[in-house]
């Protein structure tokens, strides 16, 4: 009995073993084989690969930083650093999924394993192979849900690979399919993702609303409700936004999301009366006082500012934004956004452009460059920098011109007061810096000197910034003026005739340093030390004021240039047409005949196109005043440039033929073609090329003097020509050539004497002659010729000789009389047989030749022949 039982048991085990061995063959398709491979595939390699992918997705979610200033993404951004940290899991997922495919090709987990390979490739950024993998699953799998799953993943991959049209094609296909609940949910999320990237917020709301209904994970649902709230807020439906932020909070979100949902809830709460306004402000203060929100204080202040802006309380908003900046330490994005909001308020609302520029500049320096619209913000910052530069140029030069018209005594008193105020301000700032430094030492938590929570820049925001601003209260400008003064004149006290004072050589200025234990009020030990400092500052300020006619002209030119640039910034860069018109009209009224007048009239004509009557006024004024300008021609004929281009093409053909004749030295034929072209088309942009070619021809035919004369005429008559630099280079080269020719051949002086003359005294560069001789000759002039308004100058002739030049005498006879008197006078020159002095008179024309050749003996030969002998 026992034996028989034993045989039966053995037989049974043998049978099972044979069945298992048969099931292990991956190609078998019987019931036992499928059951075996399905079980081993799912709970071995496939399971491990799926866990690897889950670890990757967890890492992406954990390391993701939400940017609540944008609409949150339905999917977490995939950061390359995070992927580098899970590269091992991605590689292992591909290996394990591949093992499942190779060893269990008969199981139902083959194509799900391929799907995992595709996901691993997608997360690793290998979009091309991920796309091919998902396509393979869709083409070969018999399971509808697996195919749909792969198509949803394929659509997302197409989106990230920037093949939007392919993504849309997949979406169109899936929309017609009968999807499982899970696949439909994922499809709706991917559609939401697509609509977000294409900024189609209406469709994004529609698809996300449907996806939320299918969301199985409560934490995910909280995030999706928050996104819906953001969308409704963006679209202006604040009641719906409020409902979704409330749903987010009721879905038990993680703390950060809960915090921002509360902030957003306050922004969209409907307020019916002042009581509600006070209630929301109290709500914000409650958030500020909650210790759990300590790391979010900067954000709370920022949202408080947005709330006040919305309810038309900009001054409170500014205070909150400055507080946000002051407390923000480790959140450059938040600090940058607060700076940006301040810049916008100071530009758009307060019209305080210097402060707006300062805040925009800080925004660019702090805000991460991946922030949305960063490049636009940077561009606006650069525009404002140029804008403020022009604005301050106008303010500065206007102030200086006004000061130049003041009485000397009043001006001196004003400058003394300004310097005294500035020095007192510096003492106060140093005292405050020391106070804060002591606080830092004792408390370890002082703010930066010169900055406070209310004023993080240390800028006096109450100082004038528009037309009533005054140059000497601009600390930076004072520093600039002082630097320019010191670089030119050195350290000097202000006194009469200080340029000539011998004491200036030893004048010094001592900056007294302040030690930690020294009070700023005693930093200057005596009035003797303080006086040079004050006087030097006053002198530096005085030096910047344009007293002379030339300086006033230069100041007005700077204002004129700045107005034109300012108008163009308004018109083309800031696109503020009304402000541009105001600036351009001010330019025309203040500087009639400006070099920018024709272009400005044309711009005003264009800007008033919507008002034909006004536009016609500017057009007629332009045509009447500047009929030959390109702007007048464009006003008359908007197609002038196009037609001018056609003419230019004809002239270019003519030019090429004429230039070929010129190279072949057929100058007469070349000149004929040039003249014909200029006669037919004198005003075309290409006509200047023909003019220059004509000058080159005349130079070959009529010589260097004619050549130089025509080049000079071209430079004077066509100052805006694109060939101006070329013409100047030709003229310079010709003059250098002529000079070398004169030096090589010897001077050829003109015998035309009916013109002004100079008296020249040539002496060697020895000893103190350069100081002695001009003084002796000046004394001679003062004694005998003081009524003739003669001027004296000292010039270097060459390395060996210099000359005293007396100019100028109206006639040859007057110059000759001076020459004879000078040589008969009892002037005591340092006579030495080894030292040679020469003196003579010379015409203006011949002086140019003499100064080029620098050969005194050649001219003396000419002088003896035409002046002494005759």
């Amino acid at each position: 009995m026992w034996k028989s039982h034993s045989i039966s048991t053995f037989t049974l085990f043998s049978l099972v073993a044979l069945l298992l061995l048969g099931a292990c063959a991956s190609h078998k398709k019987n019931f036992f084989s499928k059951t075996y491979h399905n079980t081993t595939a799912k709970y071995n390699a496939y399971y491990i690969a799926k866990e690897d992918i889950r670890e990757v997705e967890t890492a992406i979610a954990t390391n993701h930083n939400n940017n609540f200033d944008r609409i949150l993404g339905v999917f977490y951004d995939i950061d390359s650093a995070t992927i580098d940290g899970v590269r091992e899991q991605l590689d292992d997922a591909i290996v394990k999924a591949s093992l499942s495919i190779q060893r269990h090709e008969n199981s139902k987990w083959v194509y799900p394993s391929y799907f995992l390979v595709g996901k691993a490739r997608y997360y690793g950024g290998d979009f091309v192979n991920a796309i091919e993998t998902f396509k393979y699953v869709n083409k070969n799998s018999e399971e509808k849900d697996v195919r749909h799953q792969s198509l949803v993943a394929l659509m997302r991959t197409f989106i990230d690979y920037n093949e939007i049209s392919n993504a849309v094609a997949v979406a169109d296909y899936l929309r017609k399919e009968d999807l499982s609940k899970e696949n439909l949910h994922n499809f709706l999320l991917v559609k939401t993702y697509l609509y977000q990237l294409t900024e189609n917020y209406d469709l994004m709301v529609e698809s996300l609303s449907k996806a939320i209904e299918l969301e199985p994970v409560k934490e995910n649902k909280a995030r999706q409700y928050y996104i819906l709230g953001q969308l409704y807020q963006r679209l202006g439906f604040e009641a719906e936004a409020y409902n979704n932020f409330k749903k987010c909070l009721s879905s038990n979100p993680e703390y950060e999301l809960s915090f921002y949902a509360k902030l957003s809830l306050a922004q969209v709460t409907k307020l019916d009366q002042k009581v509600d306004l006070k209630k929301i402000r109290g709500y914000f203060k409650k958030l500020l006082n909650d210790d759990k929100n300590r790391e979010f204080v900067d954000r709370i202040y920022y949202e408080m500012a947005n709330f006040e802006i919305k309810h038309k309380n900009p001054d409170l908003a500014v205070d909150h934004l400055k507080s946000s900046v002051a407390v923000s330490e480790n959140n450059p994005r938040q600090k940058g956004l607060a700076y940006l909001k301040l810049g916008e308020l100071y530009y758009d609302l307060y019209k305080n452009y210097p402060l707006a520029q300062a805040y925009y500049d800080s925004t660019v320096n702090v805000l991460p460059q991946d922030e949305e619209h960063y490049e636009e913000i940077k561009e606006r910052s650069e525009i404002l920098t140029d804008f403020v530069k022009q604005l301050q140029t106008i303010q500065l030069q206007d102030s200086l011109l006004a000061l130049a018209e003041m009485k000397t005594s009043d001006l001196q008193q004003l400058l003394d007061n300004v310097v005294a105020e500035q020095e007192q301000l510096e003492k106060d700032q140093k005292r405050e810096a020391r106070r804060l430094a002591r606080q830092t030492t004792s408390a370890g938590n002082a703010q930066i000197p010169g900055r406070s929570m209310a004023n993080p820049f240390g800028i006096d925001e109450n100082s004038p910034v528009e037309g009533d601003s005054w140059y000497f209260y601009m600390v930076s400008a004072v520093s600039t003026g002082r630097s320019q003064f010191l670089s030119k004149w050195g350290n000097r006290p202000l006194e009469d005739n200080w340029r000539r004072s011998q004491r200036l050589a030893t004048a010094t200025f001592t900056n007294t340093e302040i030690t930690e234990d020294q009070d700023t009020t005693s930093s200057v030990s005596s009035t003797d030390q303080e006086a040079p400092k004050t006087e030097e500052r006053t002198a530096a300020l005085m030096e910047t004021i344009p007293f002379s006619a030339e300086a006033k002209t230069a100041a007005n030119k700077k204002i004129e240039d700045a107005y034109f640039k300012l108008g163009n910034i308004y018109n083309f860069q800031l696109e503020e047409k009304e402000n541009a018109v105001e600036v351009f009209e001010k330019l025309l009224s203040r500087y009639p005949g400006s070099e920018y007048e024709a272009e400005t009239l044309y711009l005003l004509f264009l800007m008033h196109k919507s008002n034909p009557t006004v536009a016609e006024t500017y057009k007629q004024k332009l045509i009447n005043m500047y009929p030959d300008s390109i702007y007048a021609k464009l006003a008359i004929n908007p197609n002038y440039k196009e037609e001018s281009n056609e003419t230019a093409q004809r002239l270019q053909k003519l030019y090429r033929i004429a230039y070929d004749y010129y190279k072949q030295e057929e100058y007469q034929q070349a000149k004929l073609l040039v003249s014909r072209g200029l006669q037919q088309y004198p005003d075309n942009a290409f006509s200047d090329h023909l003019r220059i070619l004509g000058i080159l021809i005349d130079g070959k035919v009529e010589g260097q003097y004619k050549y130089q004369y025509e080049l000079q005429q071209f430079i004077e008559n066509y100052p805006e020509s694109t060939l101006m630099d070329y013409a100047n280079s030709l003229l310079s080269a010709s003059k250098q050539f002529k000079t070398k020719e004169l030096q090589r051949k010897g001077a050829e002086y003109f015998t035309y004497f009916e013109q002004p003359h100079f008296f020249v005294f040539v002496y060697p560069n020895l000893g103190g002659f350069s100081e002695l001789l001009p003084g002796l000759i000046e004394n001679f002039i003062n004694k005998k010729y003081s009524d003739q308004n003669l001027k004296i100058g000292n010039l270097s002739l060459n390395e060996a000789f210099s000359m005293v030049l007396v100019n100028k005498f109206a006639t040859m006879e007057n110059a000759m009389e001076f020459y004879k008197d000078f040589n008969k006078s009892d002037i005591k020159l340092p006579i030495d047989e080894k030292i040679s002095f020469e003196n003579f008179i010379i015409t203006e024309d011949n002086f140019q030749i003499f100064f080029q050749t620098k050969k005194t003996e050649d001219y003396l030969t000419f002088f003896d022949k035409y002046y002494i002998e005759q």
Side-chain angles (χ1 to χ4, degrees), residues 103 117 576 586 806 844:
R103 294 182 181 179
V117 171
E576 298 179 11
K586 189 174 290 186
V806 179
E844 276 189 319

Side-chain angles (χ1 to χ4, degrees), residues 189-208:
L189 289 178
V190 175
K191 279 176 65 178
T192 303
Y193 180 50
L194 174 62
Y195 294 141
Q196 182 170 14
L197 293 181
T198 55
E199 298 184 355
N200 191 335
Y201 297 127
D202 289 324
L203 290 178
M204 187 179 174
V205 167
E206 180 183 336
S207 60
L208 184 57

Side-chain angles (χ1 to χ4, degrees), residues 64 82 167 706:
H64 173 74
T82 299
K706 176 71 171 177

